[in-house]
Coordinates of all heavy atoms in Angstrom, one line a residue:
M1 N 0.8 -1.2 0.0 CA 0.0 0.0 0.0 C 0.9 1.3 0.0 O 1.8 1.3 0.8 CB -0.9 0.0 1.2 CG -1.6 1.3 1.5 SD -2.5 1.4 3.0 CE -4.0 0.7 2.5
K2 N 0.5 2.2 -0.9 CA 1.3 3.5 -0.9 C 0.6 4.4 0.2 O -0.6 4.6 0.1 CB 1.2 4.1 -2.3 CG 1.9 5.4 -2.4 CD 1.7 5.9 -3.8 CE 2.5 7.3 -4.0 NZ 1.9 8.3 -3.1
I3 N 1.4 4.8 1.1 CA 0.9 5.7 2.1 C 1.3 7.1 1.8 O 2.4 7.4 1.6 CB 1.5 5.3 3.5 CG1 1.0 3.9 3.8 CG2 1.1 6.3 4.6 CD1 1.6 3.3 5.1
P4 N 0.3 8.0 1.7 CA 0.5 9.4 1.2 C 1.2 10.2 2.3 O 1.2 9.8 3.5 CB -0.9 9.9 0.9 CG -1.8 9.1 1.9 CD -1.1 7.8 2.0
E5 N 1.7 11.4 1.9 CA 2.2 12.4 2.9 C 1.1 13.2 3.5 O 1.2 13.7 4.6 CB 3.2 13.3 2.2 CG 4.4 12.6 1.7 CD 5.4 13.5 1.1 OE1 5.2 14.7 1.0 OE2 6.4 13.0 0.6
K6 N 0.0 13.3 2.8 CA -1.2 14.0 3.3 C -2.4 13.2 2.9 O -2.4 12.5 1.9 CB -1.3 15.4 2.7 CG -0.2 16.4 3.1 CD -0.4 17.8 2.5 CE 0.7 18.7 2.9 NZ 0.6 19.2 4.3
L7 N -3.5 13.4 3.7 CA -4.8 12.6 3.4 C -5.9 13.5 3.8 O -6.0 14.0 4.9 CB -4.8 11.4 4.3 CG -6.1 10.5 4.2 CD1 -6.0 9.8 2.8 CD2 -6.2 9.5 5.3
E8 N -6.8 13.8 2.8 CA -8.0 14.6 3.1 C -9.1 13.7 3.5 O -9.5 12.7 2.7 CB -8.3 15.4 1.8 CG -9.5 16.3 2.1 CD -9.8 17.3 1.0 OE1 -9.0 17.4 0.0 OE2 -10.8 18.0 1.0
V9 N -9.8 14.0 4.6 CA -11.0 13.3 5.0 C -12.0 14.4 5.4 O -11.9 15.1 6.3 CB -10.7 12.4 6.3 CG1 -12.0 11.7 6.8 CG2 -9.6 11.4 6.0
A10 N -13.1 14.4 4.6 CA -14.2 15.3 4.8 C -13.7 16.8 4.9 O -14.1 17.5 5.9 CB -15.0 14.9 6.0
G11 N -12.8 17.2 4.1 CA -12.3 18.6 4.1 C -11.2 18.9 5.0 O -10.6 20.0 4.9
I12 N -10.8 17.9 5.9 CA -9.6 18.1 6.7 C -8.5 17.4 6.0 O -8.5 16.2 5.7 CB -9.8 17.6 8.1 CG1 -11.0 18.3 8.8 CG2 -8.6 17.6 8.9 CD1 -11.4 17.7 10.2
V13 N -7.4 18.2 5.8 CA -6.2 17.7 5.2 C -5.2 17.3 6.2 O -4.6 18.2 6.8 CB -5.6 18.7 4.1 CG1 -4.3 18.0 3.5 CG2 -6.6 19.1 3.1
Y14 N -5.1 16.0 6.5 CA -4.2 15.5 7.6 C -2.8 15.5 7.0 O -2.6 15.0 5.9 CB -4.6 14.1 8.0 CG -5.8 14.1 8.9 CD1 -7.1 14.0 8.3 CD2 -5.7 14.2 10.3 CE1 -8.2 14.0 9.1 CE2 -6.8 14.1 11.1 CZ -8.1 14.0 10.5 OH -9.2 14.0 11.3
T15 N -1.8 15.9 7.8 CA -0.4 15.8 7.4 C 0.1 14.6 8.2 O -0.1 14.5 9.4 CB 0.4 17.0 7.8 OG1 -0.1 18.1 7.1 CG2 1.9 16.8 7.5
L16 N 0.8 13.7 7.5 CA 1.3 12.5 8.2 C 2.7 12.8 8.6 O 3.5 13.3 7.8 CB 1.2 11.3 7.2 CG -0.1 10.6 7.1 CD1 -1.1 11.5 6.4 CD2 0.0 9.3 6.3
E17 N 3.1 12.4 9.8 CA 4.4 12.7 10.3 C 5.0 11.5 11.1 O 4.3 10.9 11.9 CB 4.3 13.9 11.3 CG 5.6 14.4 11.8 CD 5.4 15.6 12.7 OE1 4.5 16.4 12.5 OE2 6.1 15.8 13.7
D18 N 6.2 11.2 10.7 CA 6.9 10.1 11.4 C 7.6 10.7 12.7 O 8.3 11.8 12.5 CB 8.0 9.5 10.5 CG 7.5 8.5 9.5 OD1 6.3 8.1 9.7 OD2 8.2 8.1 8.6
V19 N 7.4 10.1 13.8 CA 8.0 10.6 15.0 C 8.7 9.4 15.8 O 8.4 8.3 15.5 CB 6.9 11.2 15.9 CG1 6.4 12.5 15.3 CG2 5.8 10.2 16.3
S20 N 9.5 9.8 16.7 CA 10.2 8.7 17.5 C 9.2 8.1 18.5 O 8.1 8.7 18.8 CB 11.3 9.4 18.4 OG 10.8 10.3 19.3
P21 N 9.5 6.8 18.8 CA 8.5 6.0 19.6 C 8.1 6.7 21.0 O 7.0 6.5 21.5 CB 9.2 4.7 19.9 CG 10.2 4.6 18.7 CD 10.6 6.0 18.4
D22 N 9.0 7.5 21.5 CA 8.7 8.2 22.8 C 8.0 9.5 22.7 O 7.8 10.3 23.6 CB 9.9 8.3 23.6 CG 11.0 9.2 23.0 OD1 10.8 9.6 21.8 OD2 12.0 9.6 23.6
H23 N 7.5 9.8 21.5 CA 6.8 11.1 21.2 C 5.5 11.2 22.1 O 4.8 10.2 22.2 CB 6.5 11.2 19.7 CG 6.0 12.6 19.3 ND1 4.7 13.1 19.5 CD2 6.7 13.6 18.7 CE1 4.7 14.3 19.0 NE2 5.8 14.6 18.5
P24 N 5.2 12.4 22.6 CA 4.0 12.5 23.4 C 2.7 12.1 22.7 O 1.8 11.5 23.3 CB 4.0 14.1 23.8 CG 5.4 14.5 23.7 CD 6.0 13.6 22.6
E25 N 2.6 12.4 21.4 CA 1.4 12.0 20.7 C 1.3 10.5 20.5 O 0.2 10.0 20.1 CB 1.3 12.7 19.3 CG 1.2 14.2 19.4 CD -0.1 14.7 20.0 OE1 -1.0 13.9 20.2 OE2 -0.2 15.9 20.3
L26 N 2.4 9.8 20.8 CA 2.3 8.3 20.8 C 2.1 7.8 22.2 O 2.5 6.6 22.5 CB 3.5 7.7 20.1 CG 3.6 8.0 18.6 CD1 4.8 7.3 18.0 CD2 2.4 7.7 17.8
D27 N 1.7 8.7 23.1 CA 1.5 8.4 24.5 C 2.9 7.8 25.1 O 2.9 6.8 25.8 CB 0.4 7.4 24.7 CG -0.1 7.4 26.2 OD1 0.4 8.2 26.9 OD2 -0.9 6.5 26.5
H28 N 3.9 8.4 24.6 CA 5.3 8.1 25.1 C 5.7 6.6 24.9 O 6.2 6.0 25.8 CB 5.4 8.5 26.6 CG 5.1 10.0 26.8 ND1 6.0 11.0 26.5 CD2 4.0 10.6 27.3 CE1 5.5 12.2 26.7 NE2 4.3 11.9 27.2
G29 N 5.3 6.1 23.8 CA 5.7 4.7 23.5 C 4.6 3.7 23.6 O 4.8 2.5 23.2
R30 N 3.4 4.1 24.1 CA 2.3 3.1 24.2 C 1.7 2.8 22.8 O 1.2 1.7 22.6 CB 1.3 3.6 25.2 CG 0.3 2.5 25.6 CD -0.7 3.1 26.6 NE -1.6 4.1 26.1 CZ -2.7 3.8 25.3 NH1 -3.1 2.6 25.1 NH2 -3.5 4.8 24.8
L31 N 1.6 3.8 21.9 CA 0.9 3.6 20.6 C 1.9 3.5 19.5 O 3.0 4.0 19.6 CB 0.0 4.9 20.4 CG -1.0 5.2 21.5 CD1 -1.7 6.5 21.2 CD2 -2.0 4.1 21.6
R32 N 1.5 2.9 18.4 CA 2.3 2.8 17.2 C 1.9 4.0 16.3 O 2.7 4.3 15.4 CB 2.2 1.5 16.5 CG 0.8 1.2 16.0 CD 0.7 -0.2 15.4 NE -0.7 -0.4 15.0 CZ -1.2 -1.5 14.6 NH1 -0.5 -2.6 14.5 NH2 -2.5 -1.5 14.2
A33 N 0.7 4.6 16.5 CA 0.3 5.7 15.7 C -0.9 6.4 16.4 O -1.5 5.9 17.3 CB -0.2 5.2 14.3
S34 N -1.2 7.6 16.0 CA -2.3 8.3 16.5 C -2.7 9.4 15.5 O -2.0 9.7 14.6 CB -2.0 9.0 17.9 OG -1.1 10.0 17.7
Q35 N -3.9 9.9 15.7 CA -4.4 11.0 14.8 C -5.1 12.1 15.7 O -5.7 11.7 16.7 CB -5.3 10.6 13.7 CG -6.6 9.9 14.1 CD -7.7 10.9 14.2 OE1 -7.7 12.0 13.6 NE2 -8.7 10.5 15.0
V36 N -4.9 13.3 15.4 CA -5.4 14.4 16.2 C -6.2 15.3 15.2 O -5.6 16.1 14.5 CB -4.4 15.2 17.0 CG1 -5.0 16.3 17.8 CG2 -3.5 14.3 17.8
E37 N -7.5 15.2 15.2 CA -8.3 16.0 14.3 C -8.1 17.5 14.4 O -8.0 18.2 13.4 CB -9.8 15.6 14.4 CG -10.7 16.3 13.5 CD -12.2 16.1 13.7 OE1 -12.6 15.9 14.9 OE2 -13.0 16.0 12.7
S38 N -8.0 18.0 15.6 CA -7.9 19.4 15.8 C -6.6 20.0 15.3 O -6.5 21.2 15.0 CB -8.0 19.7 17.3 OG -7.0 19.1 18.1
K39 N -5.6 19.1 15.2 CA -4.3 19.6 14.6 C -4.1 19.1 13.2 O -3.1 19.4 12.5 CB -3.1 19.0 15.4 CG -3.0 19.5 16.8 CD -1.8 18.8 17.5 CE -1.7 19.3 19.0 NZ -0.6 18.6 19.7
A40 N -5.1 18.4 12.6 CA -5.0 17.8 11.3 C -3.7 17.1 11.1 O -3.0 17.3 10.1 CB -5.2 18.9 10.2
K41 N -3.4 16.2 12.1 CA -2.1 15.4 12.1 C -2.3 14.0 12.3 O -3.2 13.6 13.1 CB -1.2 16.0 13.1 CG -0.6 17.3 12.9 CD 0.7 17.2 12.2 CE 1.5 18.5 12.3 NZ 2.8 18.3 11.7
M42 N -1.6 13.1 11.7 CA -1.4 11.7 12.0 C 0.0 11.5 12.3 O 0.9 11.9 11.5 CB -1.9 10.9 10.8 CG -3.4 10.9 10.6 SD -3.9 9.8 9.2 CE -5.6 10.1 9.1
Y43 N 0.3 10.8 13.4 CA 1.6 10.5 13.8 C 1.9 9.0 13.7 O 1.0 8.2 14.1 CB 1.8 10.9 15.3 CG 1.6 12.4 15.5 CD1 0.3 12.9 15.9 CD2 2.5 13.4 15.3 CE1 0.0 14.2 16.1 CE2 2.3 14.7 15.5 CZ 1.0 15.2 15.9 OH 0.8 16.5 16.1
F44 N 3.1 8.7 13.2 CA 3.4 7.3 13.1 C 4.8 7.0 13.7 O 5.7 7.8 13.5 CB 3.5 6.8 11.6 CG 2.1 6.9 11.0 CD1 1.7 8.1 10.4 CD2 1.2 5.8 11.0 CE1 0.4 8.2 9.9 CE2 0.0 5.9 10.5 CZ -0.5 7.1 9.9
R45 N 4.9 5.9 14.4 CA 6.2 5.6 15.0 C 7.2 5.3 13.9 O 6.8 4.6 12.9 CB 6.0 4.3 15.8 CG 7.2 3.9 16.6 CD 6.9 2.5 17.3 NE 5.9 2.7 18.4 CZ 6.0 2.0 19.5 NH1 6.9 1.1 19.7 NH2 5.1 2.2 20.5
N46 N 8.3 6.0 13.9 CA 9.2 5.9 12.8 C 10.0 4.6 12.6 O 10.7 4.4 11.7 CB 10.3 7.1 12.9 CG 11.1 7.0 14.1 OD1 11.1 6.1 14.9 ND2 11.9 8.1 14.3
T47 N 9.6 3.6 13.4 CA 10.3 2.3 13.4 C 9.4 1.3 12.7 O 9.8 0.1 12.5 CB 10.6 1.8 14.8 OG1 9.5 1.8 15.6 CG2 11.7 2.7 15.4
I48 N 8.1 1.6 12.4 CA 7.2 0.6 11.8 C 7.3 0.7 10.3 O 7.4 1.8 9.7 CB 5.8 0.7 12.3 CG1 5.1 2.1 12.0 CG2 5.7 0.4 13.8 CD1 3.7 2.1 12.3
E49 N 7.1 -0.4 9.6 CA 7.1 -0.4 8.2 C 6.3 -1.6 7.7 O 5.7 -2.4 8.5 CB 8.5 -0.6 7.6 CG 9.3 -1.7 8.2 CD 10.8 -1.6 7.9 OE1 11.3 -0.6 7.5 OE2 11.5 -2.7 7.9
G50 N 6.1 -1.7 6.3 CA 5.4 -2.8 5.7 C 4.0 -2.9 6.2 O 3.3 -1.9 6.3
D51 N 3.5 -4.1 6.4 CA 2.1 -4.3 6.8 C 1.7 -3.7 8.1 O 0.6 -3.2 8.3 CB 1.8 -5.8 6.8 CG 1.5 -6.4 5.4 OD1 1.3 -5.7 4.5 OD2 1.7 -7.6 5.3
V52 N 2.7 -3.6 9.0 CA 2.4 -3.0 10.3 C 2.1 -1.5 10.1 O 1.1 -0.9 10.6 CB 3.5 -3.1 11.3 CG1 3.3 -2.4 12.6 CG2 3.8 -4.6 11.6
R53 N 2.9 -0.9 9.2 CA 2.7 0.6 8.9 C 1.3 0.7 8.1 O 0.6 1.7 8.4 CB 3.8 1.1 8.0 CG 3.8 2.5 7.8 CD 5.1 3.0 7.1 NE 5.2 4.4 7.1 CZ 5.7 5.1 8.0 NH1 6.1 4.6 9.2 NH2 5.8 6.4 7.9
G54 N 1.1 -0.1 7.2 CA -0.2 -0.1 6.4 C -1.4 -0.2 7.3 O -2.4 0.5 7.1
Q55 N -1.3 -1.2 8.2 CA -2.4 -1.4 9.1 C -2.6 -0.2 10.0 O -3.7 0.3 10.3 CB -2.2 -2.7 9.9 CG -3.2 -2.9 11.1 CD -4.6 -3.0 10.6 OE1 -4.9 -3.5 9.5 NE2 -5.5 -2.3 11.3
A56 N -1.5 0.4 10.5 CA -1.5 1.6 11.4 C -2.2 2.7 10.7 O -3.0 3.5 11.2 CB -0.2 1.9 11.9
F57 N -1.8 2.9 9.4 CA -2.4 4.0 8.6 C -3.9 3.8 8.4 O -4.7 4.7 8.6 CB -1.7 4.1 7.2 CG -2.3 4.9 6.2 CD1 -2.3 6.3 6.4 CD2 -3.0 4.4 5.2 CE1 -3.0 7.1 5.5 CE2 -3.7 5.2 4.2 CZ -3.7 6.6 4.4
T58 N -4.3 2.6 8.1 CA -5.7 2.3 7.9 C -6.5 2.5 9.2 O -7.6 3.1 9.1 CB -5.9 0.8 7.4 OG1 -5.0 0.6 6.2 CG2 -7.3 0.6 7.0
H59 N -5.9 2.1 10.3 CA -6.5 2.3 11.6 C -6.8 3.8 11.8 O -7.9 4.2 12.2 CB -5.6 1.7 12.7 CG -6.1 1.8 14.1 ND1 -6.6 0.8 14.8 CD2 -6.2 2.9 14.9 CE1 -6.9 1.2 16.0 NE2 -6.7 2.5 16.1
E60 N -5.7 4.6 11.6 CA -5.9 6.1 11.8 C -6.8 6.7 10.9 O -7.6 7.6 11.2 CB -4.5 6.8 11.9 CG -3.5 6.3 12.9 CD -4.1 6.2 14.3 OE1 -5.0 7.0 14.7 OE2 -3.7 5.2 15.0
M61 N -6.9 6.2 9.6 CA -7.8 6.7 8.6 C -9.2 6.4 9.0 O -10.1 7.3 8.9 CB -7.5 6.0 7.3 CG -8.4 6.4 6.2 SD -7.9 5.6 4.6 CE -8.2 3.9 5.0
V62 N -9.5 5.3 9.6 CA -10.8 4.9 10.1 C -11.2 5.8 11.3 O -12.4 6.3 11.3 CB -11.0 3.4 10.5 CG1 -12.3 3.2 11.2 CG2 -10.8 2.6 9.2
H63 N -10.3 6.1 12.2 CA -10.6 7.1 13.2 C -10.9 8.4 12.6 O -11.9 9.1 13.1 CB -9.3 7.3 14.1 CG -9.2 6.4 15.3 ND1 -10.2 6.2 16.2 CD2 -8.2 5.5 15.6 CE1 -9.8 5.4 17.1 NE2 -8.6 4.9 16.8
A64 N -10.2 8.9 11.6 CA -10.5 10.2 11.0 C -11.9 10.2 10.4 O -12.6 11.2 10.5 CB -9.5 10.5 10.0
V65 N -12.3 9.1 9.7 CA -13.6 9.0 9.1 C -14.7 9.1 10.2 O -15.7 9.8 10.1 CB -13.8 7.8 8.3 CG1 -15.2 7.5 7.8 CG2 -12.9 7.8 7.0
M66 N -14.4 8.3 11.3 CA -15.4 8.3 12.4 C -15.5 9.7 13.0 O -16.6 10.2 13.4 CB -15.0 7.3 13.4 CG -15.2 5.9 13.0 SD -14.8 4.6 14.2 CE -16.0 4.9 15.5
D67 N -14.4 10.4 13.2 CA -14.4 11.8 13.7 C -15.2 12.7 12.8 O -16.0 13.5 13.3 CB -13.0 12.4 13.8 CG -12.2 11.8 15.1 OD1 -12.8 11.1 15.9 OD2 -11.0 12.1 15.1
S68 N -15.1 12.5 11.5 CA -15.8 13.4 10.6 C -17.3 13.1 10.6 O -18.1 14.0 10.3 CB -15.3 13.2 9.2 OG -15.7 12.0 8.6
L69 N -17.7 11.9 11.0 CA -19.1 11.5 11.1 C -19.7 11.8 12.5 O -20.9 11.7 12.7 CB -19.3 10.0 10.8 CG -19.0 9.6 9.4 CD1 -19.0 8.1 9.3 CD2 -20.0 10.2 8.4
G70 N -18.8 12.2 13.4 CA -19.2 12.6 14.7 C -19.7 11.4 15.6 O -20.5 11.5 16.5
I71 N -19.1 10.2 15.3 CA -19.4 9.0 16.0 C -18.3 8.5 16.8 O -18.3 7.3 17.2 CB -20.0 7.9 15.1 CG1 -19.0 7.6 13.9 CG2 -21.3 8.4 14.5 CD1 -19.5 6.4 13.1
S72 N -17.3 9.3 17.1 CA -16.2 8.9 17.9 C -16.4 9.2 19.4 O -17.2 10.1 19.7 CB -14.9 9.5 17.5 OG -14.6 9.2 16.2
M73 N -15.7 8.5 20.2 CA -15.6 8.8 21.7 C -16.9 8.6 22.4 O -17.1 9.2 23.5 CB -15.0 10.2 21.9 CG -13.6 10.3 21.4 SD -12.5 9.1 22.0 CE -11.1 9.2 20.9
C74 N -17.8 7.8 21.9 CA -19.0 7.4 22.7 C -18.5 6.6 23.8 O -18.9 6.7 25.0 CB -20.0 6.6 21.8 SG -20.5 7.5 20.4
D75 N -17.6 5.6 23.5 CA -16.9 4.8 24.5 C -15.6 4.4 24.0 O -15.6 3.7 22.9 CB -17.8 3.6 24.8 CG -17.2 2.6 25.8 OD1 -16.0 2.3 25.7 OD2 -18.0 2.2 26.7
V76 N -14.5 4.8 24.6 CA -13.2 4.6 24.0 C -12.9 3.1 23.7 O -12.3 2.7 22.7 CB -12.1 5.3 24.9 CG1 -10.7 4.9 24.4 CG2 -12.3 6.8 24.9
T77 N -13.3 2.3 24.7 CA -13.0 0.8 24.5 C -13.7 0.3 23.3 O -13.2 -0.5 22.5 CB -13.4 0.1 25.8 OG1 -12.8 0.7 26.9 CG2 -13.0 -1.4 25.7
I78 N -15.0 0.6 23.1 CA -15.8 0.1 22.0 C -15.2 0.7 20.7 O -15.1 0.0 19.7 CB -17.3 0.4 22.2 CG1 -17.9 -0.3 23.3 CG2 -18.0 0.1 20.9 CD1 -19.3 0.0 23.7
D79 N -14.9 2.0 20.8 CA -14.3 2.7 19.6 C -13.1 1.9 19.1 O -12.9 1.6 17.9 CB -13.9 4.1 19.9 CG -15.0 5.1 19.7 OD1 -16.1 4.7 19.3 OD2 -14.7 6.3 19.9
E80 N -12.2 1.7 20.0 CA -10.9 1.0 19.7 C -11.1 -0.4 19.1 O -10.5 -0.8 18.2 CB -9.9 1.0 20.8 CG -9.2 2.3 21.0 CD -8.5 2.8 19.8 OE1 -7.9 2.0 19.1 OE2 -8.6 4.0 19.5
R81 N -12.0 -1.1 19.8 CA -12.3 -2.5 19.3 C -12.9 -2.4 17.9 O -12.5 -3.2 17.0 CB -13.3 -3.2 20.3 CG -13.4 -4.7 20.1 CD -14.3 -5.4 21.0 NE -14.3 -4.8 22.3 CZ -15.5 -4.7 23.1 NH1 -16.6 -5.2 22.7 NH2 -15.4 -4.1 24.3
F82 N -13.8 -1.5 17.7 CA -14.4 -1.4 16.3 C -13.4 -1.0 15.3 O -13.2 -1.6 14.3 CB -15.6 -0.4 16.3 CG -16.1 -0.1 14.9 CD1 -16.9 -1.0 14.2 CD2 -15.7 1.0 14.3 CE1 -17.3 -0.8 12.9 CE2 -16.0 1.3 13.0 CZ -16.9 0.4 12.3
V83 N -12.7 0.1 15.6 CA -11.7 0.6 14.7 C -10.6 -0.4 14.3 O -10.3 -0.6 13.2 CB -11.0 1.9 15.2 CG1 -9.9 2.4 14.4 CG2 -12.1 3.1 15.3
E84 N -10.1 -1.1 15.3 CA -9.1 -2.1 15.0 C -9.6 -3.2 14.2 O -9.0 -3.6 13.2 CB -8.5 -2.6 16.3 CG -7.3 -3.5 16.1 CD -6.1 -2.9 15.4 OE1 -6.0 -1.7 15.2 OE2 -5.3 -3.8 14.8
S85 N -10.8 -3.8 14.5 CA -11.3 -4.9 13.7 C -11.7 -4.5 12.3 O -11.4 -5.1 11.3 CB -12.4 -5.6 14.5 OG -13.4 -4.7 14.7
F86 N -12.4 -3.3 12.3 CA -12.8 -2.8 10.9 C -11.6 -2.5 10.1 O -11.6 -2.8 8.9 CB -13.7 -1.6 11.1 CG -14.3 -1.0 9.8 CD1 -15.4 -1.6 9.3 CD2 -13.7 0.0 9.2 CE1 -15.9 -1.1 8.1 CE2 -14.2 0.6 8.1 CZ -15.3 0.0 7.5
S87 N -10.6 -1.8 10.6 CA -9.5 -1.4 9.8 C -8.6 -2.6 9.4 O -8.0 -2.6 8.3 CB -8.6 -0.4 10.6 OG -8.0 -1.0 11.7
Q88 N -8.6 -3.7 10.2 CA -7.8 -4.9 9.7 C -8.5 -5.5 8.5 O -7.8 -5.8 7.5 CB -7.8 -5.9 10.9 CG -6.8 -5.6 11.9 CD -6.7 -6.6 13.0 OE1 -7.2 -7.7 12.9 NE2 -6.0 -6.3 14.1
I89 N -9.8 -5.6 8.5 CA -10.5 -6.1 7.3 C -10.4 -5.2 6.1 O -10.1 -5.6 5.0 CB -12.0 -6.4 7.7 CG1 -12.1 -7.5 8.7 CG2 -12.8 -6.8 6.4 CD1 -13.5 -7.7 9.3
L90 N -10.6 -3.9 6.4 CA -10.4 -2.9 5.3 C -9.0 -2.9 4.7 O -8.9 -2.9 3.5 CB -10.7 -1.5 5.9 CG -10.7 -0.3 4.9 CD1 -11.7 -0.5 3.7 CD2 -10.9 1.0 5.6
Y91 N -8.0 -3.0 5.5 CA -6.6 -3.0 5.0 C -6.4 -4.3 4.1 O -5.8 -4.2 3.1 CB -5.6 -3.0 6.2 CG -4.2 -3.1 5.7 CD1 -3.7 -2.2 4.9 CD2 -3.4 -4.2 6.1 CE1 -2.3 -2.3 4.5 CE2 -2.1 -4.3 5.7 CZ -1.6 -3.3 4.9 OH -0.2 -3.4 4.4
Q92 N -7.0 -5.4 4.6 CA -6.9 -6.6 3.8 C -7.5 -6.5 2.4 O -7.0 -6.9 1.4 CB -7.5 -7.8 4.6 CG -7.3 -9.1 3.9 CD -8.7 -9.6 3.3 OE1 -9.7 -9.4 3.9 NE2 -8.6 -10.1 2.1
V93 N -8.6 -5.7 2.4 CA -9.3 -5.5 1.1 C -8.6 -4.5 0.3 O -8.3 -4.7 -0.9 CB -10.8 -5.0 1.4 CG1 -11.4 -4.6 0.1 CG2 -11.6 -6.1 2.1
L94 N -8.1 -3.4 0.9 CA -7.4 -2.4 0.1 C -6.1 -2.9 -0.5 O -5.7 -2.4 -1.6 CB -7.1 -1.2 1.1 CG -8.3 -0.3 1.5 CD1 -7.8 0.7 2.6 CD2 -9.0 0.3 0.4
K95 N -5.5 -3.8 0.2 CA -4.2 -4.4 -0.3 C -4.4 -5.1 -1.7 O -3.4 -5.3 -2.4 CB -3.6 -5.3 0.6 CG -2.8 -4.7 1.7 CD -2.3 -5.7 2.8 CE -1.5 -6.8 2.2 NZ -0.9 -7.7 3.2
Q96 N -5.6 -5.5 -2.0 CA -5.9 -6.2 -3.2 C -6.1 -5.2 -4.4 O -6.2 -5.7 -5.5 CB -7.1 -7.1 -3.1 CG -6.9 -8.1 -2.0 CD -8.2 -8.9 -1.8 OE1 -8.7 -9.6 -2.7 NE2 -8.8 -8.8 -0.6
L97 N -6.2 -3.9 -4.1 CA -6.5 -3.0 -5.2 C -5.3 -2.7 -6.0 O -4.2 -2.8 -5.6 CB -7.1 -1.7 -4.6 CG -8.4 -1.9 -3.8 CD1 -8.8 -0.5 -3.3 CD2 -9.5 -2.5 -4.7
Ligands
ZN1 ZN1 -7.1 3.7 17.7

């Protein structure tokens, strides 16, 4: 999968940025990636590559779509379970294109 430098989701142009694993936006090493709608940024651990990177990108993209639909953060645990399972299937499908 080709991962872009920028990604537009519902009018918000996210800039993708590689950061060190201990970056605050990665919760100081707990996360492999994150996205912040208010900053229009997606952050990725600079040590991930290949399918791990593709899956992380798809995961953050699904978060961005959910944010644009206003259906995020009803329950963080449910959100993460849905986003992770949905993005894994979506990534598997996108890889075939
Ligand atoms: Zn997530």
Side-chain angles (χ1 to χ4, degrees):
M1 167 186 274
K2 180 180 180 298
I3 298 176
E5 293 180 5
K6 292 182 182 287
L7 179 72
E8 182 172 353
V9 178
I12 297 174
V13 181
Y14 288 87
T15 300
L16 282 66
E17 186 176 326
D18 281 348
V19 295
S20 63
D22 62 348
H23 192 279
E25 294 294 352
L26 298 182
D27 199 10
H28 305 283
R30 194 179 67 82
L31 304 172
R32 64 185 178 190
S34 70
Q35 62 90 25
V36 182
E37 183 184 34
S38 62
K39 294 180 180 176
K41 288 269 199 174
M42 291 185 182
Y43 301 95
F44 296 89
R45 190 183 286 215
N46 60 8
T47 57
I48 62 172
E49 54 190 22
D51 281 340
V52 176
R53 189 175 189 79
Q55 172 59 39
F57 169 70
T58 308
H59 181 109
E60 300 312 325
M61 178 177 64
V62 171
H63 270 305
V65 170
M66 289 180 67
D67 284 353
S68 74
L69 295 172
I71 56 175
S72 296
M73 298 305 162
C74 302
D75 179 313
V76 172
T77 305
I78 293 171
D79 270 1
E80 280 307 317
R81 195 179 325 145
F82 171 79
V83 169
E84 184 58 18
S85 57
F86 184 81
S87 66
Q88 284 182 11
I89 294 168
L90 181 61
Y91 178 60
Q92 183 257 315
V93 171
L94 291 174
K95 277 176 54 178
Q96 298 175 64
L97 301 179

